[in-house]
Amino acid sequence: QEINENRFKKEVITILENEKIRAKHVILFNKDEEVLRIHCEVENIYNEPIILTSLPSIVIVGISPFIKDNDTDKLKIYEIINNWAGEGRLIYETASHYGLYDSWSHYGMRGHRISQVGSMPARNNLPFMAISDEINNVTWAISLYEAASWQIEVIHNTNSIYLCGGIADELVGHFKKVLNVNESFKTNEALIACVNSSLNEACYNLINANKMIVNESIYEESMPTIFNEYLLNMGNPTMEKLRPIIKSSKHLDVKYFVMDAGWYIEKINGAECLGDLDVSIERFPSSLKEFSNLVRENNMIPGIWFEFESVSTNSKIFKEHKDYLLTKDNEIIIHGDRCFLDFRKKEVIDYLTIKVIKLLKDNNIGYLKTDYNENIGYGIDDKDSVGEGLRKHAENVVSFMKKITKEVPNLVLENCSSGGMRHEIVYNTIGSMVSFSDAHEIAGGAIIAMDLHRIMQPRIMQIWASILPKLSLDDIYFTMAKSMLGRICLSGQLDKVPEEYLMVVKKGVDFYNNIKNVIKNGNTTLIDTDEATSILHPHGVIRLVRKLPDDSKKVCYIFSFDKDARSFSFKENGYKLTNVFTNATIDENENITFNKKATCAVLVYEKEK
């Protein structure tokens, strides 16, 4: 065992060896973080190749070490499920619920596994799990850096709980890797937080560990407001449609104006066309330059949407370069009419360098929204295994995204995958922001946004604020308050809504500008969404509180989904209420009363001096 330490970090390296392999387990503690970073490495020291079929990033043994004989009714296991337009929902059960208790003889292993297979690492489950010892108030939480298939298992063996996770193995992810003589393989990192406190604090430590590795543009320092035209044009933008909205947006303190899907030649003979990435001359007769120039003339940064990993069977690239596409069993992978470019190939990277990076530079585009809307499946052809092929492909997708941010100075990069199907550390930190969900208009988006505070910093979480004529004034208040849980992303028909709607939007943006420091630097201390069990038909009341580390300021959010009259108060000794954004009623004692649907309040409290 080797221990390396200086004033910035401490590293513990454990080396195990037999006649075939040298295994290395590395624990890193950066002294400005409250987590451990762990990874494993294996080197082939044998005189012929060996096959690796499993290598977790992290294994924790002995939970709970504070109890001689685990009462598994007192050990709680937390997972986060992640569905399309229903991201971030926390579920929890006791260890005994999963049968993770001892037998009369202490023999036998019991297990519960969560996993995700494919190129959407946050589909169905997030790569996260936590266990709390309810007797001693201790919580362990792990989070994985895995851009493709992964697994996490909680195992009971001989009166002890194990927690392990990493890349999906041969059984789950069809992973096998040949290690030639002297060749080695290193896993991605996993993070572990352990706190003498609740799940919220463990989650905060995990999130905060990634605070410094988010690839921010210089424009992100002030966390500006975004306008994305998707809810206006629904994938059918034209220069003529955009002109009035560009001019309307600048009056709402918008910094980024983003054109979503549809700027390219979208259809050929009536069928979708992804992959060619050619600008539609019909929609933009003077090229994208006219769009970007107009946005910049109005003191905003122009942005566009790309889905550059996928190719439709109707595209030129599919017809002319089938050799660029991913295969399994030597057949092109086709899901519906969608195929996938193989990022392991130099020709693909060269093609996309022209189609993406050159287009951004030539048209003076400063903001890129990447999207990804179909899962590849459990593997792709590779000399080692289909699981290893998928791992290498995903690694190269990430490398290309890094190449974009490196070659386009100060680019603002937003990651999206059908909303939140890539809510995982690698994708959460590769750019400046991530799309929180495709829950564009529903009130349940407030539940999603609150729940996601457990897995990402709100300063990178972009939340839709729908401004549409069909909505009521209460709905406008609600959608603005919801978007203040992260980053405000306005969308909709600004030129067609009543002036009073725009006044509420402007009021909301101004209010938001005064709470940005809490969103950016604070700690979420309360997430209470338990009453709202349905995203689409929510009931009850949800609450969230976020404070600055020195407790000098806190922002309290509350949303009500029912007409039932209910009153709440965040009043606390030593704090005074200094600002409010609400369509509810607040009395002289700071009691907030809700008596109609779509009611909200965001309250700012400052510590009395």
Side-chain angles (χ1 to χ4, degrees), residues 60-75:
I60 308 165
V61 179
I63 298 174
S64 170
F66 310 111
I67 304 172
K68 181 179 179 181
D69 186 8
N70 275 327
D71 179 352
T72 48
D73 284 336
K74 300 297 184 182
L75 288 178

Side-chain angles (χ1 to χ4, degrees), residues 237-296:
T238 67
M239 194 62 225
E240 291 311 305
K241 290 179 183 177
L242 293 176
R243 285 183 200 280
I245 303 300
I246 290 171
K247 292 175 181 178
S248 300
S249 297
K250 72 173 182 178
H251 300 300
L252 296 171
D253 201 22
V254 168
K255 181 69 174 176
Y256 308 136
F257 187 99
V258 183
M259 176 168 54
D260 214 284
W263 56 266
Y264 49 88
I265 298 173
E266 187 182 22
K267 293 187 177 181
I268 296 178
N269 298 325
E272 185 181 31
C273 183
L274 275 176
D276 295 335
L277 304 175
D278 295 323
V279 179
S280 170
I281 296 174
E282 289 182 7
R283 297 181 183 189
F284 297 92
S286 301
S287 83
L288 286 182
K289 270 265 181 75
E290 184 181 7
F291 161 73
S292 63
N293 287 345
L294 182 60
V295 172
R296 290 193 181 272

